[in-house]
Amino acid sequence: GSTLVTPDLSTRDEAVSVDYINRSLGLKLSPQEICNFLARMMLKAEPVSANFVKVIVPPHRPDVIHACDVMEDVAIAFGFNKIPSRIP
């Protein structure tokens, strides 16, 4: 008795820590800068607070599953060659 509509074209929200992105990439980006980089990767994002960004994941981006995928998109938009090298 239930109905399933496919394909599921709904969006989902992902909250990502600004500190996590900056710590992982070795950068000091503001929440707004992170949102601007994510816009280049076809992801809508908005700063929620000084430490969190809300990312709206559309149905055409099934590769974005976790916060690490959002961080990877920021790194791609920023440019891997521009990320400063440092000893871990």
Side-chain angles (χ1 to χ4, degrees):
S2 64
T3 304
L4 179 65
V5 178
T6 60
D8 182 11
L9 298 177
S10 60
T11 61
R12 69 179 173 81
D13 297 343
E14 185 78 33
V16 183
S17 167
V18 172
D19 287 340
Y20 169 73
I21 292 173
N22 284 326
R23 203 174 49 247
S24 298
L25 300 178
L27 300 173
K28 292 182 180 177
L29 301 173
S30 70
Q32 188 58 52
E33 288 174 315
I34 290 172
C35 292
N36 293 341
F37 285 123
L38 290 172
R40 294 181 187 181
M41 301 301 292
M42 306 278 295
L43 292 173
K44 291 181 183 178
E46 58 188 36
V48 177
S49 67
N51 193 35
F52 278 95
V53 172
K54 180 176 107 175
V55 181
I56 302 166
V57 182
H60 67 273
R61 290 296 310 269
D63 59 314
V64 179
I65 301 169
H66 303 289
C68 63
D69 300 316
V70 175
M71 179 267 301
E72 178 187 22
D73 276 3
V74 172
I76 291 168
F78 183 83
F80 283 121
N81 293 335
K82 295 179 184 176
I83 296 174
S85 299
R86 63 185 174 112
I87 297 173

